[in-house]
Amino acid sequence: MSLNVWCFTGRLGRDAETRYLPAGTQVLEFSVAVDVGYGDKKNTIWTKCTLFGERGGRLAQYLTKGTQVAVSGEVNLREWQDRDGGKRSTLEVRVDKVEMIGKRDDAGPRQEPQKRDPTKPQAQSFDDDDIPF
């Protein structure tokens, strides 16, 4: 059991991608935008998430851009220098659990409930017990 666990929620920044390690292990990768702070201090932290094994293959079709998820796993801050010599870093999570918690904002038009026209008779259904004869 790891004591280095981070639990967070956010939205996927792109569709999840599946790849395979040379040994055949399936790896699902996705990035999550995590909002921190509020008002003028609000900031977004992009988190690279990696899920190993067959679970990732089953989830890949559901983890699409904009999907809201709750994720927990072991967190790691990786730092390196880019080509120009600038210091760069990325937050990475080896996913233990991922759960879809909301609907995408752009899931398409929602169906409005149909309004009843009071001038038209409404169809009614009856059971045999409702008929008096």
Side-chain angles (χ1 to χ4, degrees):
M1 180 172 163
S2 175
L3 295 178
N4 177 15
V5 176
W6 184 36
C7 300
F8 58 96
T9 61
R11 293 194 182 273
L12 269 66
R14 59 183 167 85
D15 292 352
E17 296 177 5
T18 303
R19 64 181 176 89
Y20 294 87
L21 298 178
T25 303
Q26 198 169 22
V27 180
L28 182 69
E29 295 180 331
F30 54 97
S31 61
V32 178
V34 180
D35 291 331
V36 294
Y38 57 93
D40 294 343
K41 307 263 187 222
K42 186 174 181 179
N43 193 14
T44 301
I45 298 172
W46 284 96
T47 307
K48 179 181 176 184
C49 298
T50 306
L51 179 60
F52 292 88
E54 292 180 16
R55 271 187 320 152
R58 291 190 302 267
L59 287 173
Q61 64 182 329
Y62 303 107
L63 297 178
T64 57
K65 181 178 179 178
T67 302
Q68 189 177 16
V69 293
V71 179
S72 66
E74 185 176 337
V75 67
N76 182 40
L77 180 64
R78 188 170 61 90
E79 296 178 318
W80 74 97
Q81 281 191 339
D82 63 17
R83 293 181 192 153
D84 300 328
K87 187 176 180 181
R88 307 279 295 172
S89 63
T90 185
L91 194 58
E92 298 178 346
V93 174
R94 183 174 178 158
V95 175
D96 180 46
K97 293 182 183 180
V98 61
E99 184 177 340
M100 290 170 285
I101 59 172
K103 295 183 181 179
R104 291 178 47 189
D105 287 337
D106 58 347
R110 292 186 181 177
Q111 299 234 348
E112 294 293 325
Q114 293 182 355
K115 295 183 180 178
R116 187 171 89 76
D117 184 353
T119 62
K120 291 184 179 180
Q122 297 296 311
Q124 296 180 352
S125 63
F126 297 98
D127 291 330
D128 288 342
D129 295 337
D130 293 334
I131 300 173
F133 51 89

